[in-house]
Amino acid sequence: MCGIVGAIAGRDVVPVLIEGLKRLEYRGYDSAGIAVVVDGAVRRVRRTGRVSEMEAAAGAEDFHAPLGIGHTRWATHGGVTEGNAHPHISHDTLALVHNGIIENHEAQRERLSRLGYVFESQTDTEVIAHLIHHHQSQGLDLLAALQASARELDGAYALAVIDKRDPDRMVVARMGCPLLVGLGDGENFVASDVSAILQATRRVIFLEEGDTAEITRSAVRVFDGAGAAVERGEHLSDVSLASLELGPYRHFMQKEIHEQPRALADTIEAIIDAAAFEPTLFGKDAEAVLRGIDGVQILACGTSFYSGSVARYWIEAISGLPCSVEIASEYRYRKAVANPKHLIVTISQSGETLDTMEALKYAKSLGHTRTLSICNVPESAIPRASGLVFYTRAGAEIGVASTKAFTTQLVGLFALAVTLAKLNDRLGAEQEAAYIEDLRQLPGSVQHALNLEPQITSWAEKFTLKHHALFLGRGVHYPIALEGALKLKEISYIHAEAYPAGELKHGPLALVDAEMPVVVIAPKDALLEKVKSNMQEVRARGGELFVFTDADSNFSASEGVHVIRTPRHVGVLSPIVHTIPVQLLAYHTALSRGTDVDKPRNLAKSVTVE
Ligand code: HGA
């Protein structure tokens, strides 16, 4: 969602801000803007639409300055207009960018209006600019005014503020939304995501909840929520610039689908090297935490919810522990019954997903102490708030529709299922060795599935003009049907639903006719014969079937039944391999419909608002 970048330097920072905003585009946004302090004045340019349009406007106005902030906005409060785009300015002196939502913005707006402040936008953000200005007018300096304002705000924010009366510093604050400081040589930066400043530095300080900071060209001072000066460690980011480039691919989604063999190999490396499933995969104290549990509760949203749904099958079957999976935004608002002996597992690619973070906080407030995060972004908020962590090593995922993050999450969750089995004495040495061999084979099997792309492309042409599609699966492959339907919806805008195949005759069969393509995930497993019966039910009603199966399953194409076979059966890890064809089907269908694959309408990458 929204992105922030800021810089203070001895050089013109406008190119740094523009480049940073371009690097943040993948997160999804609807407008962009920058504000700078130069020659004793605040100057601003904002545009709806792409960063390149705002860049052209800034170029035309000849913007150059040593201090500035920039923002990509994904509107939550107030429509997508230039007037609502950030930065927001108060009294022509201070400019501010904000990620998040201010929940008490109405009360603050009334209060500030009574004090004579005039609002120019419909955003919640503008109240912060006026609030800081108000505290300055009471005699506080910029930093103290920000800290006083932060105490009066409810909700979530990452903020960066500059002021023309204070041209040698930038002040920032963080609560509930990520923000980091980049350290340069005689120049410093701020960003919501490290990719925005990698062009300038890899040295970063992650701010913590409630922190504020003052950033000058030569120094960074950080304060905790109580206002006390604190030291926050410096990290060297290992995000590679290459992972942020498109290379020979047409879209990031295509690139990321094809990166899966590598991403999976990197993620399983530690298991293969140890030739064992060790609790230390989840942190050094993991054994003590995992040994005592008597169940698993998974909390996640979107695609991560589907990886959690696959994990439920694995965890119960392999470890014998009960496991439930719940949408984080539902869990966080219901009166849940907590069992502190359950392990809370949150799954989030970005580690910033607000609903998942809040569900984790809620679980802790109910008395849960055993928490594990499966996440792709080191040092992001959710892993930092969790006792145990499994980092997927998918590399930066730029396409809004998640692909390699999903399959690598599945590896982490599989490792959890097997590790729990081992700790519960349900895993013999032979079975452990067999699972390791399955993992070793996995990248190759995924590559074989990727090689099916030409066949899947020809199927995609048949989907181009469709308005609806059904996806069916059973057992551990049912969540893969859900993921396939979600991918198709997200990027091709074709309405797609997934059902457990056995559920068809309880309702959705009524939808089936010649215009309803039905995609079936039908690997050769114990449920294949059942799935075949369900396919007959579809065929008997004129439905056209598109079946993904394995090389060794004994059924073939016929009138109205199209079949693509993944080249080899991969046993327990089959859901991972069967994800590849549904990703490719969605991608090529979207391509032939001409949609914006990497930035589908209305969606954002890191969902940092409710
Ligand atoms: N609430 C602010 C910022 C929105 C945001 O952070 N989106 O991700 C607005 O609507 O402008």
mmCIF file of all heavy atoms in Angstrom, residues 73 77-78 83-86 88 105 109 119 121-127:
data_model
loop_
_atom_site.group_PDB
_atom_site.id
_atom_site.type_symbol
_atom_site.label_atom_id
_atom_site.label_comp_id
_atom_site.label_asym_id
_atom_site.label_seq_id
_atom_site.Cartn_x
_atom_site.Cartn_y
_atom_site.Cartn_z
ATOM 1 N N ARG A 73 0.317 7.060 -2.551
ATOM 2 C CA ARG A 73 -0.889 6.927 -1.710
ATOM 3 C C ARG A 73 -1.832 5.858 -2.247
ATOM 4 O O ARG A 73 -2.087 5.804 -3.449
ATOM 5 C CB ARG A 73 -1.626 8.266 -1.670
ATOM 6 C CG ARG A 73 -2.963 8.201 -0.928
ATOM 7 C CD ARG A 73 -3.650 9.560 -0.851
ATOM 8 N NE ARG A 73 -4.788 9.515 0.038
ATOM 9 C CZ ARG A 73 -6.052 9.720 -0.327
ATOM 10 N NH1 ARG A 73 -6.337 10.032 -1.590
ATOM 11 N NH2 ARG A 73 -7.035 9.642 0.539
ATOM 12 N N HIS A 77 -8.982 7.272 3.228
ATOM 13 C CA HIS A 77 -9.923 8.299 3.682
ATOM 14 C C HIS A 77 -9.892 9.442 2.686
ATOM 15 O O HIS A 77 -8.918 10.180 2.611
ATOM 16 C CB HIS A 77 -9.532 8.813 5.069
ATOM 17 C CG HIS A 77 -9.731 7.806 6.150
ATOM 18 N ND1 HIS A 77 -9.105 6.579 6.138
ATOM 19 C CD2 HIS A 77 -10.519 7.822 7.264
ATOM 20 C CE1 HIS A 77 -9.483 5.891 7.212
ATOM 21 N NE2 HIS A 77 -10.339 6.626 7.900
ATOM 22 N N GLY A 78 -10.972 9.585 1.948
ATOM 23 C CA GLY A 78 -11.015 10.619 0.910
ATOM 24 C C GLY A 78 -10.657 10.006 -0.426
ATOM 25 O O GLY A 78 -9.806 9.120 -0.509
ATOM 26 N N GLY A 83 -5.904 16.724 -4.544
ATOM 27 C CA GLY A 83 -6.006 17.408 -3.250
ATOM 28 C C GLY A 83 -5.853 16.475 -2.060
ATOM 29 O O GLY A 83 -5.447 16.913 -0.980
ATOM 30 N N ASN A 84 -6.185 15.213 -2.244
ATOM 31 C CA ASN A 84 -6.033 14.257 -1.139
ATOM 32 C C ASN A 84 -4.668 13.572 -1.152
ATOM 33 O O ASN A 84 -4.298 12.893 -0.183
ATOM 34 C CB ASN A 84 -7.126 13.189 -1.213
ATOM 35 C CG ASN A 84 -8.475 13.726 -0.756
ATOM 36 O OD1 ASN A 84 -8.538 14.691 0.006
ATOM 37 N ND2 ASN A 84 -9.555 13.126 -1.237
ATOM 38 N N ALA A 85 -3.933 13.708 -2.256
ATOM 39 C CA ALA A 85 -2.612 13.077 -2.336
ATOM 40 C C ALA A 85 -1.669 13.718 -1.318
ATOM 41 O O ALA A 85 -1.822 14.878 -0.963
ATOM 42 C CB ALA A 85 -2.057 13.212 -3.749
ATOM 43 N N HIS A 86 -0.716 12.935 -0.851
ATOM 44 C CA HIS A 86 0.287 13.453 0.086
ATOM 45 C C HIS A 86 1.435 14.028 -0.740
ATOM 46 O O HIS A 86 1.585 13.654 -1.887
ATOM 47 C CB HIS A 86 0.826 12.338 0.981
ATOM 48 C CG HIS A 86 -0.240 11.619 1.767
ATOM 49 N ND1 HIS A 86 0.003 11.011 2.970
ATOM 50 C CD2 HIS A 86 -1.551 11.381 1.505
ATOM 51 C CE1 HIS A 86 -1.109 10.432 3.423
ATOM 52 N NE2 HIS A 86 -2.060 10.634 2.533
ATOM 53 N N HIS A 88 0.873 16.484 2.713
ATOM 54 C CA HIS A 88 -0.064 17.515 3.155
ATOM 55 C C HIS A 88 0.739 18.609 3.855
ATOM 56 O O HIS A 88 1.760 18.337 4.487
ATOM 57 C CB HIS A 88 -1.115 16.904 4.084
ATOM 58 C CG HIS A 88 -2.073 16.046 3.306
ATOM 59 N ND1 HIS A 88 -3.100 16.577 2.568
ATOM 60 C CD2 HIS A 88 -2.100 14.715 3.096
ATOM 61 C CE1 HIS A 88 -3.744 15.592 1.952
ATOM 62 N NE2 HIS A 88 -3.153 14.443 2.246
ATOM 63 N N HIS A 105 -9.467 10.733 13.764
ATOM 64 C CA HIS A 105 -9.269 11.923 12.929
ATOM 65 C C HIS A 105 -10.455 12.868 12.995
ATOM 66 O O HIS A 105 -10.294 14.088 12.917
ATOM 67 C CB HIS A 105 -8.958 11.526 11.470
ATOM 68 C CG HIS A 105 -10.105 10.924 10.735
ATOM 69 N ND1 HIS A 105 -10.857 11.626 9.837
ATOM 70 C CD2 HIS A 105 -10.630 9.681 10.779
ATOM 71 C CE1 HIS A 105 -11.795 10.820 9.336
ATOM 72 N NE2 HIS A 105 -11.668 9.646 9.896
ATOM 73 N N ARG A 109 -10.128 16.665 13.912
ATOM 74 C CA ARG A 109 -10.510 17.647 12.894
ATOM 75 C C ARG A 109 -11.417 18.720 13.524
ATOM 76 O O ARG A 109 -11.227 19.924 13.306
ATOM 77 C CB ARG A 109 -11.241 16.917 11.758
ATOM 78 C CG ARG A 109 -11.573 17.787 10.567
ATOM 79 C CD ARG A 109 -12.268 16.961 9.495
ATOM 80 N NE ARG A 109 -11.335 16.349 8.573
ATOM 81 C CZ ARG A 109 -11.118 16.778 7.323
ATOM 82 N NH1 ARG A 109 -11.770 17.830 6.857
ATOM 83 N NH2 ARG A 109 -10.265 16.170 6.545
ATOM 84 N N PHE A 119 -9.264 22.979 6.593
ATOM 85 C CA PHE A 119 -8.878 21.723 5.940
ATOM 86 C C PHE A 119 -9.094 21.795 4.433
ATOM 87 O O PHE A 119 -10.127 22.274 3.973
ATOM 88 C CB PHE A 119 -9.670 20.557 6.555
ATOM 89 C CG PHE A 119 -9.167 20.175 7.909
ATOM 90 C CD1 PHE A 119 -9.537 20.907 9.044
ATOM 91 C CD2 PHE A 119 -8.282 19.124 8.048
ATOM 92 C CE1 PHE A 119 -9.046 20.579 10.291
ATOM 93 C CE2 PHE A 119 -7.786 18.784 9.298
ATOM 94 C CZ PHE A 119 -8.167 19.502 10.422
ATOM 95 N N SER A 121 -8.365 18.925 2.477
ATOM 96 C CA SER A 121 -8.549 17.583 1.925
ATOM 97 C C SER A 121 -9.568 16.817 2.769
ATOM 98 O O SER A 121 -9.989 17.275 3.828
ATOM 99 C CB SER A 121 -7.218 16.821 1.937
ATOM 100 O OG SER A 121 -6.959 16.338 3.250
ATOM 101 N N GLN A 122 -9.935 15.655 2.263
ATOM 102 C CA GLN A 122 -10.861 14.786 3.018
ATOM 103 C C GLN A 122 -10.087 13.713 3.786
ATOM 104 O O GLN A 122 -10.670 12.790 4.343
ATOM 105 C CB GLN A 122 -11.827 14.079 2.052
ATOM 106 C CG GLN A 122 -12.899 14.971 1.444
ATOM 107 C CD GLN A 122 -12.334 15.839 0.356
ATOM 108 O OE1 GLN A 122 -11.662 15.349 -0.531
ATOM 109 N NE2 GLN A 122 -12.593 17.128 0.446
ATOM 110 N N THR A 123 -8.781 13.800 3.807
ATOM 111 C CA THR A 123 -7.996 12.707 4.410
ATOM 112 C C THR A 123 -7.958 12.797 5.930
ATOM 113 O O THR A 123 -8.151 13.864 6.517
ATOM 114 C CB THR A 123 -6.531 12.761 3.925
ATOM 115 O OG1 THR A 123 -5.971 13.984 4.394
ATOM 116 C CG2 THR A 123 -6.432 12.683 2.426
ATOM 117 N N ASP A 124 -7.669 11.648 6.528
ATOM 118 C CA ASP A 124 -7.359 11.614 7.958
ATOM 119 C C ASP A 124 -5.982 12.226 8.210
ATOM 120 O O ASP A 124 -5.704 12.776 9.272
ATOM 121 C CB ASP A 124 -7.402 10.163 8.472
ATOM 122 C CG ASP A 124 -6.555 9.214 7.618
ATOM 123 O OD1 ASP A 124 -6.276 9.541 6.447
ATOM 124 O OD2 ASP A 124 -6.171 8.149 8.120
ATOM 125 N N THR A 125 -5.126 12.157 7.187
ATOM 126 C CA THR A 125 -3.726 12.581 7.331
ATOM 127 C C THR A 125 -3.580 14.070 7.633
ATOM 128 O O THR A 125 -2.705 14.475 8.410
ATOM 129 C CB THR A 125 -2.974 12.251 6.023
ATOM 130 O OG1 THR A 125 -3.059 10.854 5.795
ATOM 131 C CG2 THR A 125 -1.524 12.687 6.089
ATOM 132 N N GLU A 126 -4.445 14.889 7.023
ATOM 133 C CA GLU A 126 -4.238 16.337 7.146
ATOM 134 C C GLU A 126 -4.296 16.791 8.609
ATOM 135 O O GLU A 126 -3.634 17.761 8.987
ATOM 136 C CB GLU A 126 -5.268 17.092 6.286
ATOM 137 C CG GLU A 126 -4.871 18.541 6.078
ATOM 138 C CD GLU A 126 -5.874 19.330 5.250
ATOM 139 O OE1 GLU A 126 -6.818 18.718 4.697
ATOM 140 O OE2 GLU A 126 -5.719 20.565 5.181
ATOM 141 N N VAL A 127 -5.067 16.064 9.445
ATOM 142 C CA VAL A 127 -5.128 16.481 10.854
ATOM 143 C C VAL A 127 -3.741 16.421 11.503
ATOM 144 O O VAL A 127 -3.434 17.228 12.375
ATOM 145 C CB VAL A 127 -6.129 15.656 11.713
ATOM 146 C CG1 VAL A 127 -7.537 15.722 11.182
ATOM 147 C CG2 VAL A 127 -5.683 14.235 11.906
#
